[in-house]
Amino acid sequence: MLPLSRRRLLMLAGLTGLTGLTSATATAARAADNPVAAVYREALHLHTRWVQEQWDDTIGAYAAADFRFTAVLGNAVLLGLDDYDPRLTGVAAPVLRARTIATIRRFAATNRLAGGTGWGRRLFWDSTFELYFLLAARLLWADLDDATRAAVTKIATGQAAYAYELGAGDDPLSTGSTTNGTAGGRPGDSKLVEMGAYAQALAPGIAWAGAGDPAAEWRERFLLWTANASGLPAADRANPALIDGDRIDQLVTAHNLDDTFAVRRDELVNPFHQSELWRTAGRSAIHFLVAGQPLPPVLTRRPNGDELWRTLRLLAGDAGEPVMPMAADHYHAYGRDVLPLAFLAQVHGDRHAARAEADLAERLLPYQRHEPANRLLKFGGAESDEPQARAELAIAYLFHRLRAEPVRPVSRQRFFADARGTRDFGADAGLTVHQSPAAFAAAVTRPGFVRFLWQPGHDNWLVDTRASAFLPAGLTPSWSWTRAWQKNRDGVDATATVLGSGDGYAGFTTLPTGTVVYASTGLPGEGGLTLFALTMPGVPGLDGARTFTHSGGRVELADQITGDIDFAPRPARYVRMLGREPATENGYSLFSFGVLDVHGADLAQGAMPIVSSEDGWNPARHATDGNPETRWAVSPQEQGRADSWLAVDLGSAVTVAGVRIAWEASYAKKFVIQTSTDALTWTDVAVVPQTRTASRWVGIDGRAGLVTHGGKGRITVTATEVRAPAPIVEGYPGTGRDLARLAARRLPSAPGLLVSDAEEHLSVFNLTSEPAVDVPVRLPSRRRLYVGEQVVTEQGLEWRVSLERGTALVEPPRFILTGEPAIGTVCTVRDSHRVTVTAPQGRRTVVTLRCGVWTATVRVMAGKSRTVTVPDVPITPAADLSRGRTTFPVAPLPEGMSSPEHAVDGDPRTAWRPGPAGRMVVDLGAPHAVRDVRLTWSAAGRRRPHRVEASTDGLEYVPLGAEVRYVALVIDGWQPGDAEVVEFAVI
């Protein structure tokens, strides 16, 4: 439960005349104690400048369009606290208060639930903006007249009553939006967002109506929708844990999640909508807190909540924002990402969320100052997202002010160390991810969104993950294969993906160090990384240029894409931007296009541009209207066209010397500036961007490096792109690696296969349509031993491998070999536990083996063999089918039960405590023929009777039989002090 400062609570709720600290010293001390809150405070102040632009004199209130009037919540928060700063907002407090009250009065009266005809009642999405509006009114309650108070009360209670009366039915006012009843959607379209909307529509009415009827009935419905929003995987339906007195298995009827805990919307894995679980919770929770009501327990005990948060951490970057692997419509939407993190951190008390929140806050002000200045959202999104971002920032700020002490974040190193892991989200989802302490990487195989992703250093502003890493853009594969390895099951965290098309094959492996390996048979347009090179002071790395190191030295290339582009003065009547390559699939869009004379004056302002196409909502005239918030965009039908253009007619021939461009998120990676006197003959006067070449390796801004092997080895770089076509490309995160040495080293080789030994891990690719059977792989080093048989040769080792067609393998070193073994010595590694050394005929051999801190010197007579065993180490790869697999129930757990994952984690120090419920399920991930199950009990306590059941669908269970996917362990009558299950192995 959130520890409240009652004094601040009463002040915020407008229930007393108490005032907070007012001295500058006190404000500075508070900011130092809570730097995140200090950022939110300043961001709200600065954003008020945008709010003032929305004032409409004709109605005497802030504008109605796009719910801009709900910006009053941010105003109310600032006015209700003790440190309002008119220097930051640009408006005096009395003026802001008068405008805020006038707006609340007007829109309370025009709401349909209060008798008006303007807005309201619709669940999607009027009720969300009502929630913001109602909170603003409550914070300024003492300033409202009786009629407005009555209208506000009608809105809160009326919306709750309306949502309640709908039951599980659809809102007839919200065409096309549905929860699909309480059954939810299906894994391809999780109904989390819709169910959250039904729940939050009830919250203000409950919070402000008190405990009596009808609030009691509303509270039951709020529990139903809030619990069902996160759904249940099929195998979790039997969870008997209690939420607010109700059993999950009787309360939750929505089973619309993948077993891999990913929220999908329109079939796409969408992290933004996954975080909606805590966005809607935050919107609801703030009403209870400000009203002085206890939080409904369901807000902090969400079914699957812990697992859904773990999924987001698997996708995390260094700016508190998850990578958007498919739909990038909310990429860098910092203003909309604040609330879920603030709720998890400051209400739940999650220190990892506090780390992500702090990282986002660190970048929020520089982002806000970036053009268009003062806004909380850049680079796309709907106009209604802007007032939403303000409202949710205000709520996040209130969470901080309502805490006695802010939750202290874990370190960034700890955050990513704890988030590390891999996951294959399944063929239907089409996503395989790898989070490591040094980088994020993923592969998307979903048709229409196919790409490889790499974010070295988790840097949110280095590699643009909206574009594919290395893989050609727009590839439509006819073949896809992917696999994720897991440390406690396989001995390594790694993934591999292979895609095939008519042009050949491409493969991608990710390693535990954050390094990635790309291999291909030579696809057109491959080998590229798209880089950000914006100028955003305050964000590390965004100074408008990138620095590249290579064998020829260092070169800094500036971002010529945005800002002034100068060229030699020349006469022209027409000046145009002609696209060569768009950065995203959305074509081209820019805020402004200026034509400069020799003095830097803009000759194009007010002119009517001519364009190849335009979007009806974003016409060409916006490029020259002088408004930095309006933009031109190509028509949706022309988004796939590379040579779209925009030209300005200056009326007559004049001397021009440059252009000034401000791109939106859909910018041109490559374009030319042309001039003409007659609009018929065009001359190139500037080609963007500048290009340099390097050989075999290049360091990128001191943050990452690429090394190529094979092919011509020429790497082309610009400020916004690296192009490194080669059969094998290795991507290394961070610094500290000798890229020149890595480029010069001799790689392993094998007939018909491509092999890399980056970071001492073997990445082996069979990029052919035929299986590779027992293929010899020549390893240039004798130092490392891998699972399988390897023979000592004069050149190194010969290791053998078999791979199905169109697949790949990541194999970690299991043992380190030192000494001078005899040529012909055979080392056969069975797993991380055992290795057999066989001496050649006619010669004895002596080798020293090391595994971690364990070492052994092995002497073997000629023609003989000797097997050595490493004591007390986890055995990987494990024959146990359950090792590291998903288990159920997940959070919240039944009383007395510990997490079932302790029975399958391979760690003898952990154990599953069954509790009175006494039932766990392990999901094997796919159907398997199970031969046996084995239990390892803790040494102390009585061993209770148990039984094993199996299922193919996670719903119906029978005694263990043929091929099964789910295996259940049931322990009857368990009591405290009884033995616990250290390991539940499925063989």
Side-chain angles (χ1 to χ4, degrees):
M1 179 64 183
L2 183 69
L4 298 180
S5 163
R6 184 64 179 172
R7 181 167 179 247
R8 288 178 182 171
L9 173 61
L10 292 174
M11 179 183 69
L12 287 170
L15 301 178
T16 75
L18 293 175
T19 57
L21 299 172
T22 57
S23 72
T25 302
T27 300
R30 189 164 56 241
D33 185 59
N34 191 340
V36 172
V39 167
Y40 292 169
R41 171 192 172 275
E42 184 171 350
L44 272 176
H45 275 84
L46 291 173
H47 192 255
T48 305
R49 293 178 177 270
W50 174 85
V51 174
Q52 294 310 101
E53 295 172 2
Q54 314 314 311
W55 180 256
D56 186 342
D57 278 322
T58 62
I59 63 173
Y62 294 117
D66 303 309
F67 298 99
R68 297 178 189 216
F69 63 91
T70 57
V72 292
L73 176 53
N75 296 2
V77 169
L78 292 178
L79 292 167
L81 298 179
D82 51 18
D83 52 4
Y84 180 77
D85 188 344
R87 294 171 300 175
L88 288 174
T89 62
V91 58
V95 174
L96 187 67
R97 183 179 296 273
R99 289 185 169 187
T100 301
I101 298 302
T103 300
I104 293 175
R105 184 184 304 118
R106 175 182 178 83
F107 287 98
T110 59
N111 187 279
R112 296 186 186 101
L113 293 162
T117 59
W119 70 294
R121 185 178 277 132
R122 286 190 310 173
L123 286 184
F124 306 98
W125 298 102
D126 291 40
S127 65
T128 299
F129 291 93
E130 281 177 344
L131 189 148
Y132 306 144
F133 182 80
L134 290 169
L135 184 58
R138 287 292 177 174
L139 291 174
L140 294 175
W141 197 248
D143 293 324
L144 304 182
D145 59 81
D146 290 343
T148 302
R149 289 183 183 180
V152 167
T153 301
K154 286 180 180 179
I155 296 170
T157 57
Q159 188 66 71
Y162 181 72
Y164 179 81
E165 289 163 5
L166 288 174
D170 293 343
D171 174 20
L173 301 176
S174 303
T175 306
S177 296
T178 177
T179 64
N180 191 29
T182 57
R186 56 192 188 283
D189 191 9
S190 306
K191 292 298 184 178
L192 187 159
V193 175
E194 288 79 0
M195 291 188 176
Y198 272 60
Q200 70 181 22
L202 293 155
I206 299 169
W208 298 103
D213 292 331
E217 294 177 338
W218 298 345
R219 187 178 291 271
E220 290 180 5
R221 190 63 52 77
F222 178 82
L223 170 64
L224 176 71
W225 286 121
T226 305
N228 275 278
S230 53
L232 286 179
D236 206 20
R237 294 192 185 190
N239 187 352
L242 297 178
I243 300 179
D244 208 6
D246 288 293
R247 287 172 52 132
I248 290 177
D249 56 2
Q250 298 171 4
L251 177 67
V252 179
T253 56
H255 309 292
N256 56 335
L257 283 178
D258 294 316
D259 286 355
T260 48
F261 300 100
V263 167
R264 284 198 270 162
R265 191 165 181 82
D266 300 326
E267 302 291 341
L268 306 177
V269 175
N270 194 315
F272 179 83
H273 291 294
Q274 182 141 341
S275 65
E276 193 75 10
L277 186 71
W278 303 285
R279 192 175 287 110
T280 56
R283 294 173 188 151
S284 298
I286 193 60
H287 277 270
F288 290 99
L289 295 174
V290 173
Q293 300 285 341
L295 281 186
V298 69
L299 289 178
T300 52
R301 281 176 60 81
R302 305 294 285 271
N304 305 310
D306 290 352
E307 289 297 328
L308 290 168
W309 172 227
R310 187 181 297 183
T311 295
L312 282 181
R313 287 163 58 195
L314 272 175
L315 297 162
D318 72 342
E321 182 187 64
V323 175
M324 301 292 291
M326 298 181 191
D329 56 337
H330 289 92
Y331 195 65
H332 288 132
Y334 288 173
R336 295 300 313 282
D337 289 329
V338 166
L339 183 56
L341 296 177
F343 176 79
L344 276 168
Q346 307 308 323
V347 179
H348 266 262
D350 189 296
R351 295 185 64 206
H352 291 86
R355 172 75 269 154
E357 186 189 18
D359 288 343
L360 190 154
E362 186 178 300
R363 291 160 176 78
L364 184 58
L365 290 175
Y367 172 88
Q368 188 179 15
R369 294 185 181 109
H370 187 70
E371 292 296 333
N374 300 322
R375 296 190 62 151
L376 291 167
L377 290 168
K378 324 281 182 180
F379 316 121
E383 285 299 319
S384 60
D385 285 346
E386 191 68 30
Q388 277 201 279
R390 177 176 178 80
E392 293 176 0
L393 178 65
I395 295 171
Y397 185 39
L398 288 180
F399 285 150
H400 280 266
R401 292 299 297 264
L402 287 169
R403 282 199 71 93
E405 295 289 340
V407 173
R408 299 300 178 185
V410 299
S411 68
R412 189 170 290 135
Q413 293 76 14
R414 169 76 181 277
F415 178 91
F416 286 110
D418 291 347
R420 75 195 318 170
T422 64
R423 190 176 301 173
D424 178 357
F425 285 93
D428 287 342
L431 176 66
T432 303
V433 304
H434 185 175
Q435 184 71 277
S436 72
F440 168 84
V444 179
T445 55
R446 181 90 191 158
F449 298 89
V450 174
R451 67 192 66 182
F452 295 149
L453 307 177
W454 185 45
Q455 197 177 72
H458 310 103
D459 193 328
N460 199 241
W461 286 105
L462 179 60
V463 176
D464 188 344
T465 54
R466 293 171 299 180
S468 182
F470 310 117
L471 197 67
L475 183 72
T476 303
S478 55
W479 167 270
S480 66
W481 171 94
T482 191
R483 179 178 174 183
W485 289 268
Q486 191 171 308
K487 178 78 172 176
N488 62 355
R489 182 174 65 241
D490 306 298
V492 64
D493 283 334
T495 71
T497 302
V498 175
L499 303 173
S501 71
D503 295 319
Y505 287 89
F508 186 64
T509 61
T510 68
L511 306 180
T513 59
T515 291
V516 297
V517 180
Y518 173 81
S520 83
T521 55
L523 301 180
E526 69 180 354
L529 286 180
T530 299
L531 307 178
F532 288 106
L534 304 176
T535 300
M536 194 181 296
V539 177
L542 291 188
D543 58 2
R546 292 293 177 189
T547 300
F548 300 94
T549 56
H550 58 100
S551 58
R554 292 165 55 91
V555 60
E556 181 179 283
L557 297 179
D559 167 28
Q560 295 177 297
I561 290 175
T562 295
D564 291 1
I565 302 172
D566 299 324
F567 48 80
R570 59 183 296 109
R573 174 176 174 176
Y574 303 92
V575 181
R576 77 173 177 178
M577 182 286 302
L578 174 64
R580 293 299 190 203
E581 182 181 347
T584 74
E585 65 271 17
N586 296 324
Y588 304 109
S589 176
L590 51 80
F591 288 109
S592 62
F593 182 80
V595 178
L596 307 180
D597 65 13
V598 293
H599 303 293
D602 182 4
L603 304 174
Q605 188 162 329
M608 180 60 73
I610 311 161
V611 292
S612 55
S613 71
E614 64 181 7
D615 174 28
W617 294 100
N618 300 287
R621 66 177 181 273
H622 285 172
T624 56
D625 64 1
N627 186 341
E629 296 190 6
T630 61
R631 61 189 176 94
W632 161 72
V634 298
S635 71
Q637 297 77 19
E638 295 280 286
Q639 288 179 348
R641 176 178 171 180
D643 63 346
S644 294
W645 52 269
L646 178 146
V648 174
D649 180 359
L650 300 176
S652 62
V654 294
T655 300
V656 296
V659 297
R660 179 174 295 149
I661 301 183
W663 288 99
E664 198 253 351
S666 301
Y667 63 94
K669 288 169 61 176
K670 298 177 182 177
F671 63 94
V672 295
I673 301 299
Q674 298 178 321
T675 63
S676 176
T677 57
D678 58 7
L680 298 174
T681 302
W682 294 90
T683 302
D684 294 351
V685 293
V687 178
V688 180
Q690 296 179 12
T691 302
R692 298 289 187 276
T693 60
S695 178
R696 300 296 178 188
W697 65 272
V698 65
I700 306 170
D701 214 35
R703 298 166 183 257
L706 296 184
V707 171
T708 64
H709 301 277
K712 296 181 180 180
R714 301 302 299 178
I715 301 173
T716 303
V717 299
T718 71
T720 58
E721 185 180 52
V722 178
R723 182 71 61 181
I728 292 178
V729 182
E730 297 165 344
Y732 295 91
T735 59
R737 294 175 176 86
D738 186 340
L739 298 177
R741 182 187 63 80
L742 291 170
R745 79 185 195 279
R746 184 162 56 96
L747 287 190
S749 61
L753 304 177
L754 290 173
V755 188
S756 164
D757 59 356
E759 308 288 32
E760 301 185 344
H761 289 66
L762 295 181
S763 295
V764 188
F765 302 87
N766 178 13
L767 304 183
T768 73
S769 57
E770 298 295 330
V773 180
D774 201 30
V775 175
V777 180
R778 291 177 289 276
L779 308 178
S781 171
R782 297 177 183 173
R783 177 175 169 77
R784 296 172 293 276
L785 299 180
Y786 303 90
V787 166
E789 181 181 288
Q790 39 248 290
V791 180
V792 177
T793 67
E794 291 185 357
Q795 291 77 31
L797 293 174
E798 184 176 282
W799 175 71
R800 292 186 172 271
V801 67
S802 295
L803 282 174
E804 294 296 325
R805 74 179 186 94
T807 63
L809 171 70
V810 175
E811 180 59 39
R814 308 288 179 163
F815 293 89
I816 300 299
L817 177 68
T818 58
E820 293 296 331
I823 302 300
T825 297
V826 178
C827 297
T828 305
V829 178
R830 182 174 299 181
D831 49 40
S832 60
H833 187 56
R834 290 163 293 181
V835 59
T836 299
V837 180
T838 302
Q841 294 293 334
R843 291 192 61 186
R844 66 189 292 271
T845 193
V846 179
V847 299
T848 297
L849 299 171
R850 178 164 59 85
C851 179
V853 298
W854 174 89
T855 61
T857 299
V858 183
R859 295 176 173 83
V860 185
M861 300 301 294
K864 302 296 183 180
S865 298
R866 182 180 170 189
T867 299
V868 293
T869 302
V870 182
D872 302 323
V873 297
I875 301 175
T876 58
D880 177 8
L881 297 172
S882 67
R883 179 74 62 82
R885 298 295 183 182
T886 301
T887 58
F888 301 97
V890 296
L893 294 169
E895 185 176 358
M897 181 183 290
S898 64
S899 175
E901 68 183 13
H902 293 328
V904 299
D905 61 6
D907 187 345
R909 299 166 297 179
T910 63
W912 174 54
R913 183 174 63 254
R919 181 179 185 273
M920 66 165 283
V921 177
V922 60
D923 177 4
L924 304 181
H928 289 275
V930 175
R931 294 182 285 108
D932 192 16
V933 296
R934 300 171 187 170
L935 268 65
T936 302
W937 297 86
S938 60
R942 174 174 46 180
R943 299 182 182 182
R944 290 286 182 178
H946 69 276
R947 65 182 184 275
V948 176
E949 301 171 342
S951 174
T952 57
D953 60 6
L955 301 175
E956 301 295 330
Y957 286 81
V958 297
L960 190 64
E963 281 205 345
V964 299
R965 173 172 172 174
Y966 303 91
V967 182
L969 172 64
V970 183
I971 297 177
D972 296 317
W974 190 93
Q975 296 180 6
D978 288 348
E980 301 176 357
V981 179
V982 175
E983 184 175 41
F984 177 45
V986 179
I987 309 301

